[in-house]
Amino acid sequence: MGDKPRLSVASSTGLKNVAASNQFKRLYNQQSISSFSNHEDIREDRIELENLLGTDELEKLRTQGFSKSKVLDKENFIRFLRHTLNRGSDRDYEELFECVDVTKEGVISWDKLATYLMLKLYDNDDREKASSVPNWKSGKNLINAHRDSVKRIQHMDSFNRYISISKEGTVCIYNDEMQLYKTFKAGTESCKIRDLWITDFVLMTNVNKVAVAYTSKELIIYDMTSKLELSLAYRIVGIDATPYCLDYWSDSENPNDAILSWGDVKGDVHAILFNSAIIALFERPPQQTNNAAYTRVQLEDVANGIYKNASYLTYHAHAEWTRQIKYADHLECFISCSTNTKTALVFGWMEKSGLTVRVNYSVRIRQLREARNVVEINQGLNSFDYSRNFNLIVDNESIFILATAGVNYQVSLWNPFVLSKPNGVIENFFE
């Protein structure tokens, strides 16, 4: 079927909708389509029904066969195909006619024939997709320099490279083919290498930085140099509990507006809101010398408003460890999860209180609402994901998708604005 000429856009099928006509072409010209009728009723030496009519024959049938009369009876239908086609038999033509004339009226129209072909091709296409085996590429053996669990893998768009960091502090840089480019250690002066434990890291894409969380209760922000090396820039200390998960968001229209958030082992959610991220995340305090290798930042100073270009907020969200945190800018809220049933999923909503104009840019002032939404899920959640681009149509409304995954082998799809129950559940997904 692949070498047959293609249909013209709208005229060949007689369908009024151009999109439907294009879909008909796509389905009809597939190389592998099952028969219109039961395979058991057709001998191997007979031509399959779907191979009877090519695109040229369909065009002739529409313009010539049905031109003078809107309908054809069986005798005229068979006579026309006998003189038009150089393959098939009268029995083939008769069987095709009977498949179209399901109401046994004795006549068929072009609309009925085109509708029948469309439905059968859709059905064959769905059946073929369901039974086909994905053509996966062969697996690759990758060089693994990590000695412990990998905390995250992210793509660095500005460098066209992948980065991964494992628990013991090994940093690996890969090219787009996932070939190891370089590897080095990410340590901290607060503990020895043997005691090092990284819980998570996140890329700060708009400023070419990497934030790393340590069990030594500190967040270290590194500059990613042009040589793809980590250079210590900021060290945030004075954190009350070990940070367990990280997230970073920046405004695509105003890159100075950014939020670094994390969840800790006490079930709290924390966030530092930057208002001039491109210029500096934190201005260097007067007591530090200008030739210092990095800026040491006390979290308490950020909370007390010592830094003009950064502010801090926090709230208690979960009864157990905060497993994942994400700031959803479209919803203006923080989403976090834990394995606790009562506080499996928590929404911490923000509200915008206005704009403060700075030189050449404006700053969005945000405040945390007191009210939060809590979703109870049996045995809690291990992870979730949110997408504003994945639209689900429910009752003719376009909503945004939140997918959650727990220990019950289920993936649930939620509407963030209706949290009484999920819109859909995928069961036995990981079994």
Side-chain angles (χ1 to χ4, degrees), residues 133-172:
V133 178
N135 186 20
W136 301 109
K137 293 183 179 179
S138 58
K140 293 183 179 180
N141 293 323
L142 304 178
I143 299 176
N144 181 22
H146 297 294
R147 297 182 179 180
D148 213 317
S149 58
V150 177
K151 294 303 174 182
R152 191 189 295 233
I153 300 175
Q154 279 193 270
H155 188 262
M156 301 183 292
D157 296 336
S158 56
F159 298 99
N160 203 27
R161 293 286 191 273
Y162 288 94
I163 181 174
S164 64
I165 301 180
S166 54
K167 172 184 171 181
E168 84 285 358
T170 302
V171 181
C172 292

Side-chain angles (χ1 to χ4, degrees), residues 187-204:
T188 173
E189 61 186 33
S190 61
C191 66
K192 298 180 180 179
I193 293 295
R194 66 185 181 188
D195 300 324
L196 187 69
W197 189 333
I198 291 176
T199 57
D200 199 7
F201 84 93
V202 67
L203 292 178
M204 306 172 72

Side-chain angles (χ1 to χ4, degrees), residues 70-88:
K70 293 183 179 180
V71 296
L72 288 177
D73 57 20
K74 183 187 297 185
E75 182 180 354
N76 289 325
F77 181 77
I78 294 175
R79 182 186 302 112
F80 181 84
L81 293 184
R82 186 189 303 128
H83 289 87
T84 303
L85 302 180
N86 57 3
R87 58 188 178 279

Side-chain angles (χ1 to χ4, degrees), residues 261-327:
S261 56
W262 70 92
D264 62 26
V265 296
K266 286 187 175 181
D268 295 335
V269 170
H270 311 262
I272 298 179
L273 289 67
F274 303 104
N275 55 52
S276 57
I278 299 298
I279 301 172
L281 296 178
F282 304 95
E283 67 266 22
R284 190 181 297 272
Q287 60 269 25
Q288 288 192 2
T289 59
N290 292 329
N291 58 357
Y294 64 90
T295 301
R296 180 185 174 93
V297 178
Q298 285 285 344
L299 186 60
E300 184 179 0
D301 292 341
V302 182
N304 293 333
I306 302 299
Y307 296 92
K308 296 180 180 179
N309 51 0
S311 59
Y312 169 75
L313 62 85
T314 182
Y315 60 91
H316 183 70
H318 306 280
E320 294 182 7
W321 292 14
T322 305
R323 297 287 177 173
Q324 186 178 346
I325 176 72
K326 185 178 182 64
Y327 178 70

Side-chain angles (χ1 to χ4, degrees), residues 204-209 221-224 248 255 277-279 281:
M204 306 172 72
T205 53
N206 64 323
V207 290
N208 283 333
K209 288 178 169 56
I221 299 177
Y222 298 91
D223 283 318
M224 179 62 73
Y248 182 77
I278 299 298
I279 301 172
L281 296 178

Side-chain angles (χ1 to χ4, degrees), residues 51-71:
N51 295 326
L52 285 175
L53 298 174
T55 52
D56 289 340
E57 288 83 3
L58 282 172
E59 176 69 15
K60 289 180 180 179
L61 184 61
R62 187 189 71 84
T63 58
Q64 300 177 19
F66 290 94
S67 60
K68 297 181 180 179
S69 175
K70 293 183 179 180
V71 296

